[in-house]
Amino acid sequence: MKKFIVTVGPSTEKSSSLKYILKKTNLIRLNFSHNSIDWHEKIIKKIKLIKKDAIILIDIPGIKPRTLNDKPILIKKNQKVIFYFKKKPKNNKYLSIPLSNIIPTTKRINKSNFFSVDDGNFKFKTIMYKKDYIIGSSYEKFVLEKLKGINIVNSIYDSKLQEKKYLQSLKIISKLNVDAVGLSYIQNAKTINLVKKKYPKLLVVSKIENYEGILKVEEICKTSDIIMIDRGDLSAEVGEENLFESILEINKFSKKYSKPIIMATENLRSMVNRNTPDKSEIIALGMSKMLDVDSLMLSEETATSKNWKIIINWLLNYNKKTKLKNNIFFNADNFNNPLFDKINSLKNTNVIIFLKKGYLISEIKKIDPSKEIFIFSDNQKLLNNLEFYSNIFTFKINLIDKKFSQIKMNSLIKKYKKYIFRKYNEVILIFTSFPIKGSKANTFSLLKKRNFN
């Protein structure tokens, strides 16, 4: 069963709405690009008061330029528009719209003859492209809403400027009670390591969204805690014809380094104004399952839509009724570990693991994803990270020390037996004790439900 992340916004900020949402999911997202600091602080306090173990991910803006229009603007077909940073160009015959940040370069590859706004939804034919402004002619009539991003195909963002922006936001966010930060337009491991060093308590969610990120995808996946595929920005930045190939590339290296994947942007966007999704969205959800994506993220579907309740319940129902019959990336024959071979060969069983450290995580992903894995640990950051995996369910327990006994384990299993044995009457127990980095689990026990009645 895939997990899902709910973005909280104006439509879901009331305590009654948050209570409803937190009964359905443990994963909440906030977008620091929108609303005030006070608003975020108030919402975070509400969430933690309702459910103290809720995991809060807050996306912080990079230096992607966003429009600074204070109200929606009607753009006509073929209308010429200047998008500018700081200094307004002298040419006044075109509609002028200010931007929040400098326009990125495209030095690596020839500049495209178009750019787009709003996650690639609306395109402009490029007339002139400079460091501080870009002029384009709109391909269609549309309404430009507030704070919409501009995307240039094959863009390169200034990494030093990006890091400066991240650290400015993190200085504020670190004082809030959040668990993970989403970094936009990650282009290298150096930026990730910088954030991890300065804020070691926070999980780093790397958003791979442009061509530079794809070039460094392996080092980004290796260094990050979690990977987010933002299909909207990624499509606009690498080109629509390269989107699916780029997703496969990100997925390949995320799996190689056993990092959970979040699939973001327009998962159920059509339901913002209707009660059922488009068929193309259903097919895309099925593909996410085949790719063994761990979490689906709802953005405007729950942040601004009045239909948010219908959308959440549709997704829950879809998750329950669809089963993973063919995970195209999982093949037990690829793994050479007798213990995990044995675990995968046992049918109709789930798995319990007691963990002190995170050394076993890469091994855990060698377990058939059709099995549910229940993890007990006293390591809160590890548990927060594991919450983002699709088939993993976590339990916080008191200190695991060298006196931690089988009796204590049995007591905990009995306490949570309605969850552990909800699907099967047998479960595999793995206990790693106090491993060193690089060590493997080498024993397991097969437990039966009747022994915990």
Side-chain angles (χ1 to χ4, degrees), residues 72-119:
I73 299 173
L74 175 65
I75 307 290
K76 298 176 183 178
K77 184 177 180 180
N78 297 323
Q79 184 172 4
K80 295 178 176 61
V81 181
I82 300 175
F83 297 92
Y84 68 93
F85 176 62
K86 286 188 176 179
K87 190 176 180 181
K88 185 176 180 180
K90 293 179 180 179
N91 191 329
N92 292 320
K93 64 180 181 179
Y94 303 145
L95 173 64
S96 298
I97 299 175
L99 297 173
S100 61
N101 286 301
I102 195 168
I103 298 168
T105 63
T106 56
K107 292 177 182 177
R108 188 177 294 278
I109 289 182
N110 291 333
K111 299 169 186 175
S112 71
N113 62 354
F114 73 89
F115 63 94
S116 61
V117 297
D118 191 13
D119 289 342

Side-chain angles (χ1 to χ4, degrees), residues 174-191:
S174 63
K175 297 174 184 177
L176 306 176
N177 191 9
V178 300
D179 306 285
V181 289
L183 303 180
S184 301
Y185 287 90
I186 283 295
Q187 298 179 134
N188 55 64
K190 177 178 171 291
T191 302

Side-chain angles (χ1 to χ4, degrees), residues 246-368:
S246 297
I247 289 173
L248 293 180
E249 191 76 356
I250 297 168
N251 190 79
K252 178 177 75 174
F253 287 107
S254 296
K255 297 302 178 194
K256 178 178 178 179
Y257 294 104
S258 303
K259 302 302 170 73
I261 306 169
I262 301 168
M263 187 68 79
T265 313
E266 300 177 11
N267 280 303
L268 289 170
R269 187 178 183 179
S270 68
M271 290 188 71
V272 168
N273 297 308
R274 50 186 282 180
N275 292 344
T276 55
D278 287 339
K279 302 301 181 289
S280 58
E281 289 174 334
I282 296 173
I283 292 170
L285 290 176
M287 183 55 68
S288 290
K289 276 184 174 284
M290 288 185 70
L291 294 174
D292 195 23
V293 166
D294 296 274
S295 304
L296 300 170
M297 193 172 84
L298 299 174
S299 299
E300 62 185 297
E301 297 99 329
T302 52
T304 57
S305 171
K306 293 180 180 178
N307 260 8
W308 63 268
K309 235 182 229 190
I310 293 171
I311 293 168
I312 287 174
N313 286 316
W314 186 93
L315 187 55
L316 276 171
N317 188 54
Y318 173 84
N319 264 337
K320 288 178 182 177
K321 290 187 175 181
T322 56
K323 295 183 179 179
L324 183 66
K325 293 183 179 179
N326 181 28
N327 179 343
I328 62 177
F329 283 94
F330 180 82
N331 183 353
D333 295 335
N334 292 336
F335 304 117
N336 183 24
N337 184 314
L339 174 64
F340 289 97
D341 287 345
K342 182 64 176 176
I343 290 171
N344 289 327
S345 70
L346 292 172
K347 305 302 180 184
N348 300 323
T349 56
N350 286 328
V351 181
I352 301 172
I353 303 176
F354 284 81
L355 280 180
K356 180 72 178 176
K357 302 287 186 182
Y359 301 147
L360 196 64
I361 292 178
S362 61
E363 295 294 305
I364 288 170
K365 295 306 289 181
K366 296 177 185 179
I367 296 173
D368 186 335

